[in-house]
Amino acid sequence: MKLAVFCGSAPGDIPIYKEAAYAFGKLAARRGIGLVYGGGHVGLMGAVADGALAAGGEVTGIMPTALAEKEIAHTGLTRLEVVPDMHTRKTRMAELASGFVALPGGAGTLEEIFEQWTWAQLGIHQKPCGFLNVAGYFDPLFEMIERTVSAGFMKRDYAEMLVCTVDPDTLLERFARYRPPAQKWQSKSAEIKAQCMLENQNNGS
């Protein structure tokens, strides 16, 4: 299993952000989970990679040429892939990952996790998406997500498909139990078929 991690290239303004990133990388490695991330040695990106590597984990970095040329690539990774551009980077991370986790970060972090969440809603993939809510960083974001539901722009199921927790163990456990909701815009027959498949899986467990 590999998880794609999206997080800041800055360390943030309080030490707990970087500490939590390092600890998450370490925990994932101890559970035998490989990490895929943006390939940098700076900020939370570097911390999550360092944590995993310190625990003997496998870490794959995917970095666009333009950033690699600025010498921010982590030189101690299991594997570093240099790709032409940001679009290729995101595509490659999605190919390698079986789930997506956001740690605190800026616009790039939010754009990356929201894209994967949107793709999950559309049924492009059926992989879990989650947020490690360090020090309540994502609280305002989830207030806004709740607003999209209450205002009628999103079904409750699509908000609830996101995992948001302060505890990394809980996040990984919920990923392991994840079952995707019915995708947006699918036909009624496809929706019934998906429900039957889910019921059969539950009856067999």
Side-chain angles (χ1 to χ4, degrees):
M1 180 182 186
K2 289 185 179 180
L3 294 180
V5 180
F6 307 126
C7 57
S9 58
D13 62 351
I14 53 176
I16 193 172
Y17 294 138
K18 194 169 183 178
E19 292 165 2
Y22 186 91
F24 181 77
K26 203 168 186 178
L27 175 66
R30 286 177 173 171
R31 289 193 172 207
I33 299 171
L35 298 184
V36 183
Y37 84 119
H41 68 78
V42 293
L44 301 198
M45 295 174 70
V48 73
D50 288 341
L53 293 167
E58 178 181 321
V59 184
T60 301
I62 313 294
M63 178 167 282
T65 302
L67 294 180
E69 290 174 348
K70 293 180 180 178
E71 299 183 348
I72 66 169
H74 197 303
T75 59
L77 303 178
T78 311
R79 178 177 174 80
L80 176 66
E81 295 186 20
V82 179
V83 296
D85 50 45
M86 291 293 288
H87 294 293
T88 308
R89 172 201 238 179
K90 292 192 296 179
T91 299
R92 183 63 178 145
M93 290 178 73
E95 288 172 350
L96 293 174
S98 46
F100 307 92
V101 179
L103 277 62
T109 297
L110 296 176
E111 186 270 335
E112 289 168 326
I113 190 65
F114 266 64
E115 180 175 66
Q116 296 304 329
W117 178 32
T118 302
W119 287 5
Q121 291 179 49
L122 295 172
I124 295 172
H125 68 71
Q126 296 185 320
K127 304 171 185 179
C129 298
F131 294 76
L132 187 61
N133 194 20
V134 181
Y137 181 78
F138 290 113
D139 286 351
L141 176 64
F142 273 79
E143 289 175 9
M144 185 63 223
I145 291 172
E146 182 61 31
R147 175 62 177 152
T148 67
V149 175
S150 64
F153 290 104
M154 184 187 300
K155 291 183 178 180
R156 171 67 59 188
D157 285 350
Y158 299 140
E160 293 181 350
M161 71 194 295
L162 292 174
V163 177
C164 183
T165 176
V166 300
D167 180 52
D169 283 293
T170 299
L171 187 148
L172 295 177
E173 287 163 8
R174 289 183 62 185
F175 268 36
R177 302 195 307 268
Y178 177 75
R179 294 291 183 271
Q183 67 191 60
K184 291 181 74 172
W185 314 124
Q186 70 176 353
S187 66
K188 190 65 179 176
S189 60
E191 187 175 345
I192 293 171
K193 182 178 179 181
Q195 183 61 36
C196 289
M197 289 177 63
L198 181 58
E199 290 175 358
N200 289 337
Q201 289 175 359
N202 291 337
N203 291 335
S205 61

